[in-house]
């Protein structure tokens, strides 16, 4: 709960920092409303729509309302999926407004001691440090391989947790060993004729918990004719920080990554996580007010490209035989890959090129699945409502495989499968792992 003094400081900073021209760009036309999951799932409450949230921000700037708990609640309930942006006739950069507003609020309110401890541990103590990420993942690996996981399930301990958390524990991937996480390459030669020289953004969760997906990514790049450089000094992308009101930390991570990649002389910087890629693409906005970094940030963002896009551009699906046993598949868009990186057709072209696969488009495949970073943990009720709708559309396709392009989406769809009791009939898989399966059938 914010005090009167905190509200006064927040209101002052809203006036100083919020982009009033951007706020005024919203014409209140309502084109964003049908695209907003929280607006729909809240029963069409205006304050939970992009238009309504912008109106609240503008009212705080104008001093009409105070930045109280209701304003903060409205902003916190937003997924940040940015589905409102592509349909906005005025081109309002809603995501930038949301991140700025959240940063102002969280940096100027006094959090409780437990919340402050958790935020500091996660944002400052864990994600910026690769060695600590490996250690945390290693502990999870110990839990999975030591028999503790089996024991906690047999004793019924998991039933003490909320349903969504106990289900999440079931869908976590089998994590790699500490040795595998430490022995990472920094250079990989192309397999065959070289077509491009690229750098790979390996990420933090992707290079620990989802290590095999990173390995699949680099293998596909090699097969596509890419020479790959993987800088050791790269850092977390900063998306979790930027979306959660920790903008200063996000800027520090951005600068570390720009430094790590800018002297590599590569054609592109490749990502395989929609959320990470979208935040990397926004580095030029993040650092726009920093004269020492804004041009360097712009040069960095111009090289960001998703793995599916470069595979498409290099005709991977034409040059590489792709085949799998017959199965029906569908594709769940990563919100940030589609809405920010503008990549939606390339994944579909690649998937439909696989022999033996019957592709069926899901209704509202572009609607958020409800993962949104840690949203499915901190806003569990709304997240599960959104997931239930997504699973209804998924089941209508009769697909046995759901393909997606972001680790959060992947875990959320696995959670949906688990909640629906379909684990023996349906699976969720990252697109690069699925494509490598299709390559393997022809080896």
């Amino acid at each position: 709960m914010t005090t009167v003094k905190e509200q006064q400081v927040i209101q002052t900073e809203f006036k100083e920092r919020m982009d009033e021209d951007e706020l005024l760009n919203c014409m209140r036309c309502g084109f964003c409303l049908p695209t907003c999951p929280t607006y729909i799932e809240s029963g069409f409450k205006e304050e939970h729509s992009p238009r309504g949230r912008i109106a609240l921000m503008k009212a705080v700037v104008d001093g009409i309302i105070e930045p109280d708990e209701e304003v903060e609640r409205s902003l916190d309930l937003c997924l940040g999926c940015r589905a409102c942006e592509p349909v906005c006739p005025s081109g309002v950069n809603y995501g930038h407004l949301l991140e700025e507003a959240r940063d102002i609020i969280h940096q100027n309110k006094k959090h409780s001691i437990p919340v402050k401890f958790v935020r500091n541990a996660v944002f400052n103590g864990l994600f910026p440090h690769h060695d600590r990420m490996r250690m945390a993942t290693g502990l999870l690996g110990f839990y999975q391989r030591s028999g503790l996981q089996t024991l906690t399930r047999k004793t019924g301990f998991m039933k003490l947790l909320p349903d969504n958390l106990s289900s999440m524990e079931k869908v976590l991937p089998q994590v790699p060993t500490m040795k595998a996480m430490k022995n990472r390459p920094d250079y990989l030669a192309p397999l065959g004729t070289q077509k491009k020289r690229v750098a790979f953004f390996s990420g933090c969760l992707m290079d620990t918990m989802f290590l095999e997906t990173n390995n699949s990514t680099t293998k596909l790049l090699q097969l596509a004719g890419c020479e790959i450089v993987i800088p050791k000094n790269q850092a977390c992308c900063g998306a979790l920080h930027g979306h959660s009101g920790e903008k200063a930390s996000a800027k520090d991570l951005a600068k570390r990554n720009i430094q790590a990649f800018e002297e590599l002389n590569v054609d592109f910087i490749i990502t395989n996580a929609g959320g990470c890629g979208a935040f990397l693409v926004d580095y030029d906005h993040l650092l726009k007010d920093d004269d020492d970094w804004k041009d360097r940030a712009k040069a960095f963002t111009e090289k960001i490209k998703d793995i599916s896009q470069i595979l498409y551009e290099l005709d991977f699906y034409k040059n590489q035989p792709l085949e799998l046993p017959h199965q029906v598949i569908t594709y769940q868009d990563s919100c940030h890959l589609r809405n920010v990186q503008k990549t939606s057709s390339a994944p579909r072209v690649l998937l439909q090129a696989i022999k033996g696969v019957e592709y069926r488009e899901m209704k509202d495949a572009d609607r958020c699945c409800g993962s949104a970073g840690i949203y499915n943990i901190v806003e569990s009720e709304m997240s599960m409502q959104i997931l239930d709708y997504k699973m209804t559309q998924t089941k209508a396709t009769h697909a046995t495989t759901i393909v997606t392009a972001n680790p959060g989406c992947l875990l959320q769809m696995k959670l949906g499968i688990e909640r629906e009791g379909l684990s023996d009939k349906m699976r969720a898989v990252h697109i690069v792992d699925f494509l490598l399966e299709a390559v393997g059938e022809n080896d």
Side-chain angles (χ1 to χ4, degrees):
M1 184 173 182
T2 52
T3 65
V4 173
K5 185 176 181 180
E6 287 169 345
Q7 288 181 9
Q8 291 172 343
V9 173
I10 290 170
Q11 192 145 33
T12 298
E13 290 217 15
F14 258 73
K15 292 178 181 179
E16 294 175 353
R17 290 175 52 183
M18 294 300 295
D19 187 335
E20 193 160 6
D21 289 338
E22 196 72 77
L23 291 170
L24 289 170
N25 278 342
C26 177
M27 302 184 300
R28 300 186 59 77
C29 64
F31 275 78
C32 60
L33 301 183
T35 72
C36 180
T38 55
Y39 173 71
I40 295 167
E41 295 297 334
S42 68
F44 308 105
K45 292 182 179 178
E46 181 71 15
E47 68 269 26
H48 296 320
S49 72
R51 180 178 70 179
R53 292 180 176 110
I54 290 174
L56 289 175
M57 295 179 208
K58 183 67 167 63
V60 172
V61 169
D62 292 341
I64 298 173
I65 63 173
E66 296 176 343
D68 57 17
E69 281 70 32
E70 290 185 12
V71 173
E72 185 178 349
R73 179 65 188 141
S74 174
L75 299 180
D76 283 347
L77 198 63
C78 179
L79 291 148
C81 69
R82 296 172 71 168
C84 50
E85 292 184 13
V87 300
C88 179
S90 300
V92 176
N93 290 304
Y94 172 81
H96 297 164
L97 292 172
L98 177 68
E99 288 178 5
E100 192 73 12
R102 282 177 171 172
D103 188 62
I104 293 170
I105 290 172
H106 285 288
Q107 294 305 314
N108 291 287
K109 66 174 289 186
K110 187 176 181 180
H111 293 288
S112 66
I113 292 176
V115 171
K116 188 175 181 180
F117 173 80
V118 171
R119 288 179 68 91
N120 184 62
V122 171
F123 296 128
N124 301 321
L126 182 60
F127 277 87
H129 307 281
H130 273 315
D131 55 341
R132 296 177 190 175
M133 287 293 296
R134 285 194 296 265
M135 186 178 299
T137 306
L139 290 174
L140 176 58
F142 174 78
Y143 165 75
Q144 291 176 335
R145 289 186 287 268
S146 66
L148 279 175
Q149 185 177 57
T150 302
L151 180 63
T152 56
R153 291 177 179 180
K154 284 185 176 180
T155 58
F157 175 78
M158 299 309 299
K159 293 180 181 178
L160 299 176
L161 299 176
D163 288 344
N164 68 310
L165 289 181
S166 60
S167 296
M168 281 182 191
E169 187 269 347
K170 294 179 182 178
V171 302
L172 289 174
Q174 289 296 311
V175 302
T177 63
M178 187 68 77
K179 181 179 179 181
M181 287 187 285
K182 286 182 177 180
N183 295 333
R184 305 300 293 139
D186 54 19
Y187 175 84
L188 292 166
L191 297 174
T193 304
Q194 181 174 328
K195 297 180 180 179
K196 297 290 181 182
R197 175 179 164 86
V198 303
F200 178 49
F201 182 81
S202 54
C204 46
L205 276 178
M206 291 305 297
D207 217 39
T208 50
M209 188 178 294
F210 295 92
L211 184 64
E212 287 307 310
T213 299
N214 268 6
N215 290 340
S216 297
T217 303
T218 53
K219 183 64 180 292
L220 291 176
L221 288 171
Q222 287 179 287
L223 290 169
C226 292
E227 179 186 25
I228 310 167
V229 183
I230 310 171
K232 294 285 190 183
N233 55 337
Q234 61 180 292
C236 168
C237 68
L240 186 62
H241 302 75
H243 300 329
S244 304
E246 298 286 341
K247 203 169 182 180
S249 295
K251 288 180 179 180
D252 290 340
L253 291 167
K255 291 173 183 179
R256 284 173 58 185
N257 282 320
I258 292 168
Q259 283 183 315
F261 284 89
E262 63 185 348
E263 300 296 333
L264 297 180
N265 189 30
V266 295
D267 299 304
F268 303 111
I269 300 170
I270 305 302
T271 67
N272 63 359
C276 296
F279 201 73
L280 296 174
V281 164
D282 261 353
Y283 275 5
D284 57 342
H285 172 77
L286 186 67
L287 298 172
K288 64 182 175 63
D289 297 322
D290 192 321
D291 290 338
D292 294 331
W293 286 92
K294 61 183 181 182
D295 291 337
R296 296 166 72 179
K298 181 68 174 175
F300 175 89
T301 60
E302 289 174 349
K303 291 189 175 184
I304 300 298
K305 194 179 291 288
D306 184 70
I307 176 65
S308 63
Q309 189 64 38
I310 192 171
L311 292 178
Y312 171 77
E313 292 174 5
L314 294 178
D315 290 334
F316 177 80
Y317 64 106
K318 296 179 181 177
N319 301 327
Q320 183 73 44
L322 302 170
E323 188 172 356
L324 284 169
H326 176 72
Q327 57 192 289
V328 178
I329 71 169
T330 192
Y331 179 69
Q332 163 61 25
D333 283 286
S334 157
C335 295
H336 287 127
L337 181 59
R338 183 183 184 105
N339 300 326
V340 183
Q341 291 182 267
K342 313 301 182 187
T343 299
S344 60
S345 62
R348 289 171 166 82
V349 171
L350 293 169
L351 293 173
Q352 292 177 61
I354 303 173
K355 292 180 181 179
V357 162
E358 181 182 347
Y359 179 84
R360 294 180 187 171
E361 184 72 14
M362 182 199 310
K363 180 185 177 184
D364 293 333
D366 58 345
R367 185 186 292 188
C368 186
C369 64
S371 172
I374 58 172
Y375 187 94
N376 55 4
I377 297 174
V378 298
E379 297 290 349
S380 175
E381 184 177 352
M382 178 60 75
S383 175
M384 293 305 104
Q385 279 184 240
I386 293 167
L387 178 58
D388 288 343
Y389 176 83
K390 181 61 63 177
M391 290 308 299
T392 298
Q393 308 313 318
T394 302
K395 288 187 292 183
T397 68
H398 299 287
T400 55
T401 302
I402 309 169
V403 184
T404 188
N406 186 63
C409 303
L410 178 61
L411 289 180
Q412 184 80 341
M413 298 311 294
K414 286 186 174 184
L415 178 60
I417 292 170
E418 180 69 27
R419 280 164 54 87
E420 295 287 337
L422 296 173
S423 298
D424 59 338
K425 299 177 182 178
M426 185 184 292
R427 65 169 179 155
V429 61
H430 193 289
I431 187 170
V432 296
D433 294 315
F434 193 66
L435 288 171
L436 196 60
E437 283 181 31
V439 172
E441 288 293 317
N442 297 283
D443 286 348

